[in-house]
Amino acid sequence: MAFSFLQKISRAIAGKSRVDDDTLDNIEEALIESDMGVDTTLKIIDRLEERVARDKIVSFDELTGYLRDEIGALLDIDAPAAPDLSASKPFVILVVGVNGVGKTTTIGKLARYFSGKGLRVMLGAADTFRAAAVDQLDIWAARAGVPVVKQKMGSDPASVAFDTVKSAVAKGVDVVLID
């Protein structure tokens, strides 16, 4: 059974009268499993340890509020607002980068996020050279309940991207994510 980040945090402190080392270890594990990154997780855990020692955080609400504040503080608060996804249809996000950094996983999570917000999402499997890339994107598409446009291995990635956007326009899709 998959648990959300907040469910893992809730389980980590359930029945506890205080936040102890086991609780902090469980929170650290939940942060890492949530793709927070090791460096960021360690910063959050260090700050949480300081706060627990100082403020004696014990309740779930206190802990989640502190985590929300800490994660927000680590983000660039002055960053520009998220793009207006309704400004152009479809809104196309092309994800590129070196192999093994989590592009396809991120695309899957974004697909689930956007579809959960009521947007129509489509994926494009343009990574036609990496073994199992299309299969991996298929799995994420199924999890998110969104369609995926794909061609056979070795196909021209640009043609996959073009076909994906063309299909998305024809179907009134809101967001296109191309891997």
Side-chain angles (χ1 to χ4, degrees):
M1 174 186 284
F3 290 98
S4 74
F5 171 70
L6 288 177
Q7 288 172 320
K8 290 176 185 175
I9 298 299
S10 179
R11 286 183 42 204
I13 66 168
K16 305 242 180 185
S17 60
R18 64 184 179 82
V19 177
D20 58 16
D21 287 340
D22 286 341
T23 305
L24 291 171
D25 288 344
N26 290 336
I27 292 169
E28 181 176 347
E29 182 180 326
L31 289 167
I32 289 173
E33 287 177 357
S34 300
D35 294 331
M36 190 67 63
V38 174
D39 292 339
T40 303
T41 295
L42 293 176
K43 285 178 188 174
I44 292 169
I45 293 298
D46 287 345
R47 291 177 184 177
L48 180 58
E49 286 173 338
E50 292 170 10
R51 183 84 176 253
V52 165
R54 185 180 67 237
D55 298 342
K56 309 295 184 224
I57 297 171
V58 293
S59 76
F60 178 73
D61 289 340
E62 288 175 314
L63 184 60
T64 54
Y66 173 73
L67 284 170
R68 182 177 36 254
D69 293 345
E70 235 0 270
I71 292 168
L74 291 172
L75 298 173
D76 183 7
I77 301 304
D78 295 328
D84 180 7
L85 299 179
S86 65
S88 66
K89 216 173 192 181
F91 188 85
V92 179
I93 301 171
L94 174 64
V95 180
V96 297
V98 298
N99 288 342
V101 296
K103 294 179 302 297
T104 304
T105 300
T106 299
I107 288 168
K109 290 179 179 185
L110 286 171
R112 188 174 196 151
Y113 172 79
F114 289 134
S115 65
K117 296 286 185 187
L119 297 170
R120 295 185 62 198
V121 179
M122 181 178 285
L123 306 183
D127 187 353
T128 60
F129 297 104
R130 183 174 61 89
V134 174
D135 294 337
Q136 185 184 7
L137 195 63
D138 268 338
I139 291 168
W140 281 108
R143 288 178 183 168
V146 301
V148 60
V149 174
K150 57 190 172 186
Q151 295 178 6
K152 64 182 174 143
M153 284 297 294
S155 296
D156 176 37
S159 69
V160 177
F162 178 83
D163 290 348
T164 303
V165 174
K166 185 176 179 182
S167 178
V169 168
K171 295 178 180 179
V173 169
D174 299 304
V175 179
V176 172
L177 300 161
I178 300 177
D179 185 10

